[in-house]
Amino acid sequence: MDYSQIQEILEGKCTDKEVNIRGWVWRARSSKKICFIIIRDSTGRIQVTFEKEINPELFELAKSVTIESSIEIKGVVREDKRSPGGYEIHGNDLKLISLAQVFPITKDQSVTFLMDKRHLWVRSRNIAAILKIRAEVYKAFRDWFDNNNYIEVHGPMFTGSAVEGGSTLFDLKYFDKKAYLTQSSQFYLEAMIFTFEKVWTVAPSFRAEKSRTTRHLTEFWMLEAEKAYSDLEDIMKVEEELVGYVCKRVAERKEELKDLNVKPNTIAKIVPPFERISYDKAIEILQGDGVKAEWGEDLGTEEERILTLKYDKPIFVYDYPKKAKAFYHYPDPQNPEKVKCADLLAPGGYGEIIGGGQRIDDEEILLQRIEEEQLPGDYEWYIDLRRYGSVPHSGFGLGVERVIRWLLKLDNIRDTIPFPRTINRIYP
Ligand code: ATP
Ligand code: MN
């Protein structure tokens, strides 16, 4: 049988025609004479009516369906200004595929309850809209990198060494060895620039984040890129172009944005260039505001919040103190206490969405930094990359969920991913 999708009907493509639809019962109510079922499929929702006078048996069957039952209906599409969406279906047939038990999700439930029922909650209009935007963000990434001649590559998820420092490593038994879940594919991307010059990936990143926050997951997706022959300024340009493009694409998803109460224009106006302020300047601004920000420390959630509330576009903070950042960052030739890196901070209090910078391309300097930091694991292969045709290069990592949270103004990062993982959540 041929099934129509609800969206086609709402676009007026099936008016006055008989259609078959399959989906789930979103709402149902009935009076003595007529039963209304709102059916949803992956593309939308539409009301179907069953009248007792026309077919009493069918009317009884329609009355018996419960919320989230799976059904198939046949009926004639009529334009109807009163019904939501402007169209209605006059039902001629109904097939019950599976009668749902009493659906546990109703209004006003606690966040914990909803998270426990996440496998059912993902059917909600809100989550569906967020996840459609999420899919669009991924499409935009791919299009941008394709258009700019980057090659997509994939690093391993099992690794033998830390990228971002030991404290958030998940370790595991790998046969008779110790291994870690990857925190970042950066090192593998660095290896691949010697083959392809410009590479990118989207991959999971695992971090044992031990504190409860609204911007950290223990499993999140990171978009990473690495570019040969580039310095910090060069990679910042790549980042802003990419983010600007993602914003443009998301702003075009008017329907989902409407469901989420986000004005497309607030996203469409996020166009590069983004302001650049030095770390020193950022500390000065914060101290001027009476914030106890100490030179030498990385900016934390609170500092980033206060700083970015002053802006309505993302800002780059560049040239951080060496001791605040990971060991692989390129030392500033003018000041050995600083490194050539930049974080991109989202405005409105959201904070860091990208960490990036120039990488150390010199063997001696890299050896010295690894020694200073006393990192666990074997970095021999990574050092090798500096021994065989090393070139200046830069790259970055963008937190996909952070970007979605910021663009959609969500309170908590967990709503940006179907099945979030945090320190106290590994179910469902
Ligand atoms: P933060 O200081 O916010 O913890 P980070 O300095 O640890 O971030 P990086 O190691 O630079 O972050 O990782 C690159 C990007 O990955 C970050 O800019 C951020 O967007 C994202 N990210 C990092 N940790 C997490 C996490 N636990 N959950 C979600 N996204 C994250
Ligand atoms: Mn972190």
Side-chain angles (χ1 to χ4, degrees):
M1 195 184 309
D2 240 5
Y3 296 94
S4 300
Q5 298 252 263
I6 292 172
Q7 191 174 348
E8 303 168 51
I9 299 171
L10 298 178
E11 284 167 358
K13 292 179 183 158
C14 311
T15 312
D16 300 325
K17 289 190 189 129
E18 189 173 68
V19 293
N20 295 291
I21 296 182
R22 55 184 163 190
W24 291 266
V25 175
W26 190 56
R27 299 265 187 280
R29 70 188 164 88
S30 61
S31 64
K32 284 212 174 75
K33 290 183 182 159
I34 185 160
C35 177
F36 302 92
I37 293 177
I38 299 181
I39 182 171
R40 70 168 175 86
D41 69 6
S42 63
T43 66
R45 290 165 172 74
I46 193 163
Q47 180 163 285
V48 192
T49 57
F50 295 93
E51 285 180 55
K52 188 171 183 179
E53 214 176 271
I54 296 173
N55 186 335
E57 251 170 72
L58 199 58
F59 173 76
E60 289 306 318
L61 178 63
K63 262 174 59 175
S64 74
V65 303
T66 50
I67 301 285
E68 288 303 318
S69 291
S70 44
I71 58 172
E72 274 184 33
I73 65 104
K74 187 199 287 288
V76 177
V77 177
R78 299 282 185 221
E79 205 171 344
D80 185 338
K81 292 271 165 328
R82 292 162 308 169
S83 57
Y87 291 89
E88 190 175 77
I89 296 174
H90 294 212
N92 296 330
D93 201 6
L94 169 75
K95 196 155 97 197
L96 182 61
I97 309 291
S98 172
L99 186 70
Q101 297 180 21
V102 176
F103 199 62
I105 298 179
T106 54
K107 273 197 179 132
D108 302 324
Q109 272 154 334
S110 73
V111 170
T112 309
F113 179 85
L114 290 171
M115 291 310 296
D116 285 341
K117 301 286 182 212
R118 186 78 175 180
H119 51 297
L120 302 175
W121 192 25
V122 290
R123 302 177 186 194
S124 71
R125 189 202 286 253
N126 198 266
I127 305 269
I130 293 171
L131 295 181
K132 272 195 188 162
I133 297 280
R134 183 183 169 100
E136 183 68 25
V137 167
Y138 275 77
K139 276 198 249 173
F141 290 155
R142 171 156 285 109
D143 289 345
W144 194 88
F145 283 111
D146 275 351
N147 293 339
N148 288 277
N149 301 316
Y150 282 69
I151 304 277
E152 183 174 359
V153 297
H154 303 97
M157 300 294 107
F158 287 133
T159 65
S161 44
V163 178
E164 293 302 325
S167 69
T168 65
L169 273 181
F170 278 112
D171 53 12
L172 55 99
K173 209 164 120 349
Y174 190 76
F175 305 102
D176 55 355
K177 287 202 182 74
K178 190 166 170 175
Y180 310 98
L181 289 177
T182 186
Q183 294 172 307
S184 155
S185 302
Q186 178 191 321
F187 293 176
Y188 298 95
L189 262 59
E190 284 186 64
M192 293 313 298
I193 62 164
F194 298 91
T195 316
F196 295 133
E197 297 177 27
K198 301 197 287 185
V199 294
W200 75 286
T201 199
V202 195
S205 169
F206 304 93
R207 298 189 189 188
E209 307 282 3
K210 288 166 198 99
S211 57
R212 286 194 199 197
T213 83
T214 54
R215 67 177 208 177
H216 289 90
L217 297 163
T218 53
E219 179 183 326
F220 66 97
W221 288 77
M222 186 145 68
L223 168 81
E224 292 177 271
E226 212 59 40
K227 189 173 180 229
Y229 316 110
S230 64
D231 62 10
L232 176 60
E233 179 51 33
D234 196 32
I235 206 70
M236 283 167 25
K237 284 209 186 87
V238 172
E239 293 170 30
E240 64 188 357
E241 288 302 322
L242 171 73
V243 170
Y245 182 71
V246 169
C247 291
K248 178 176 161 325
R249 291 278 295 267
V250 169
E252 286 163 7
R253 302 298 303 223
K254 299 229 161 48
E255 240 160 72
E256 288 82 16
L257 293 177
K258 196 170 155 213
D259 281 347
L260 295 165
N261 254 322
V262 177
K263 293 205 176 69
N265 193 36
T266 57
I267 300 177
K269 68 182 189 208
I270 298 163
V271 281
F274 301 152
E275 202 167 318
R276 288 136 166 80
I277 56 175
S278 68
Y279 171 87
D280 292 358
K281 178 79 190 166
I283 293 292
E284 206 178 283
I285 295 174
L286 287 166
Q287 287 176 346
D289 273 11
V291 181
K292 263 213 204 100
E294 241 178 272
W295 197 96
E297 300 296 314
D298 201 356
L299 300 180
T301 304
E302 187 55 14
E303 285 97 38
E304 289 181 3
R305 191 181 69 80
I306 293 167
L307 187 63
T308 61
L309 278 172
K310 301 176 189 300
Y311 297 88
D312 51 16
K313 282 207 293 185
I315 53 166
F316 284 108
V317 176
Y318 66 90
D319 289 0
Y320 281 72
K322 178 175 89 173
K323 67 172 188 174
K325 291 289 177 187
F327 72 97
Y328 49 72
H329 291 295
Y330 191 86
D332 185 345
Q334 256 94 60
N335 180 350
E337 285 314 301
K338 290 197 197 165
V339 286
K340 302 305 286 177
C341 70
D343 284 355
L344 185 65
L345 312 184
Y350 289 93
E352 181 176 340
I353 50 174
I354 299 184
Q358 186 168 350
R359 320 305 191 186
I360 296 171
D361 54 52
D362 178 85
E363 182 187 352
E364 289 312 311
I365 301 172
L366 188 61
L367 283 169
Q368 193 192 323
R369 289 294 290 127
I370 290 173
E371 169 122 354
E372 274 169 23
E373 302 276 324
Q374 297 195 323
L375 295 161
D378 185 351
Y379 292 91
E380 203 46 34
W381 71 267
Y382 185 61
I383 302 160
D384 252 358
L385 303 177
R386 279 75 189 159
R387 295 180 180 132
Y388 302 97
S390 189
V391 289
H393 63 284
S394 301
F396 64 90
L398 169 153
V400 178
E401 290 78 13
R402 294 254 180 115
V403 168
I404 297 167
R405 177 186 173 220
W406 157 55
L407 291 178
L408 302 181
K409 305 278 177 281
L410 302 171
D411 291 339
N412 197 303
I413 194 166
R414 66 174 170 238
D415 288 327
T416 62
I417 187 164
F419 298 100
R421 293 288 173 256
T422 61
I423 186 165
N424 42 27
R425 167 87 34 204
I426 197 161
Y427 176 93

